[in-house]
Amino acid sequence: DTAVSQTPKYLVTQMGNDKSIKCEQNLGHDTMYWYKQDSKKFLKIMFSYNNKELIINETVPNRFSPKSPDKAHLNLHINSLELGDSAVYFCASSSDRGWDTEAFFGQGTRLTVV
Amino acid sequence: QQQVKQSPQSLIVQKGGISIINCAYENTAFDYFPWYQQFPGKGPALLIAIRPDVSEKKEGRFTISFNKSAKQFSLHIMDSQPGDSATYFCAASRVLMDTGRRALTFGSGTRLQVQP
């Protein structure tokens, strides 16, 4: 029973296309995140959502937009894909109650833009 | 601005040796420091964590050493094994002033390779 699941696991697409990555968590967490991991394995936060409210938005191009239909889902939409968007994208969730909050990650979506 | 600085970027250790990964932070609002372990093709997973009111936490072969005055913390892997080969991320958590919610900031990661 997967705690954080994201689909698809692999995504190959051409430049200029629009694509979406879906994420669902069944942990009852309040906060969900999207992270980007580049080829050097650097893990950078893109967005986090808490109760449908964006609370962190790093310097991400506006071609990227998170959509949260409910607390258990946070989808990532990417418009006009560029070569530099190729990376592994991780969805994660955490509870914001208590100091020892742990982030649970999905398996990742490897996006390749050709 | 990188709030949590991690080093080295990569590390090669012989089987049975000690692996040491270091992290440093500036923001004194951080009050919880977890380490995450990531195997190839998988998402990061919590390995061990520490609060700043203790200087050391040990779980099996993994130990976190914490120096509050220096704002530094490190992960030590004793008797390193090939199965420990992974990418390790330090992280720091704090409560955001404007929302009252917690936020987690990751270091840049260290690729550890333990040679047999």
Side-chain angles (χ1 to χ4, degrees):
Chain A
D1 191 17
T2 305
V4 181
S5 60
Q6 54 183 108
T7 56
K9 188 173 182 179
Y10 300 98
L11 181 56
V12 181
T13 187
Q14 290 184 329
M15 284 177 55
N17 284 350
D18 303 336
K19 291 293 179 184
S20 296
I21 307 172
K22 296 183 177 180
C23 180
E24 176 182 4
Q25 56 96 3
N26 61 7
L27 299 167
H29 285 162
D30 303 302
T31 306
M32 296 184 70
Y33 312 83
W34 277 104
Y35 287 86
K36 179 181 180 181
Q37 187 170 46
D38 60 23
S39 58
K40 295 184 178 180
K41 299 296 185 181
F42 294 156
L43 196 63
K44 295 181 180 179
I45 189 169
M46 301 178 70
F47 303 102
S48 69
Y49 255 70
N50 178 278
N51 291 330
K52 299 187 180 183
E53 182 180 358
L54 181 67
I55 59 173
I56 298 176
N57 186 349
E58 300 294 325
T59 54
V60 175
N62 57 14
R63 298 182 294 104
F64 291 80
S65 57
K67 304 288 184 187
S68 181
D70 54 59
K71 196 172 80 167
H73 297 83
L74 183 65
N75 303 324
L76 182 64
H77 297 270
I78 315 171
N79 296 323
S80 302
L81 278 156
E82 300 177 357
L83 292 177
D85 297 332
S86 297
V88 180
Y89 293 84
F90 286 98
C91 175
S93 73
S94 70
S95 171
D96 59 4
R97 301 185 182 95
W99 57 266
D100 56 345
T101 181
E102 174 185 351
F104 290 81
F105 285 80
Q107 64 182 6
T109 295
R110 182 174 294 277
L111 172 65
T112 303
V113 182
V114 297
Chain B
Q1 180 184 3
Q2 189 177 0
Q3 295 193 43
V4 181
K5 296 182 179 180
Q6 182 172 346
S7 63
Q9 285 192 15
S10 62
L11 181 62
I12 299 176
V13 174
Q14 296 296 315
K15 179 182 176 181
I18 302 174
S19 303
I20 302 175
I21 304 171
N22 301 301
C23 284
Y25 64 98
E26 289 296 325
N27 192 337
T28 56
F30 289 131
D31 60 0
Y32 178 63
F33 302 88
W35 284 87
Y36 283 77
Q37 180 187 53
Q38 183 185 23
F39 292 107
K42 303 290 185 181
L46 180 66
L47 178 65
I48 185 173
I50 195 169
R51 289 188 70 177
D53 53 353
V54 297
S55 60
E56 186 176 283
K57 183 173 182 180
K58 184 176 181 180
E59 291 184 0
R61 297 183 294 108
F62 299 90
T63 300
I64 300 178
S65 296
F66 187 83
N67 187 328
K68 187 174 182 178
S69 60
K71 289 184 285 187
Q72 296 175 345
F73 58 109
S74 59
L75 176 69
H76 296 238
I77 306 175
M78 311 300 288
D79 186 26
S80 298
Q81 299 296 311
D84 297 331
S85 297
T87 299
Y88 292 82
F89 294 92
C90 63
S93 174
R94 62 187 172 99
V95 176
L96 297 177
M97 297 290 287
D98 52 350
T99 64
R101 304 292 184 180
R102 282 204 162 266
L104 195 62
T105 301
F106 283 90
S108 54
T110 297
R111 289 193 197 180
L112 171 65
Q113 182 181 350
V114 181
Q115 294 183 334

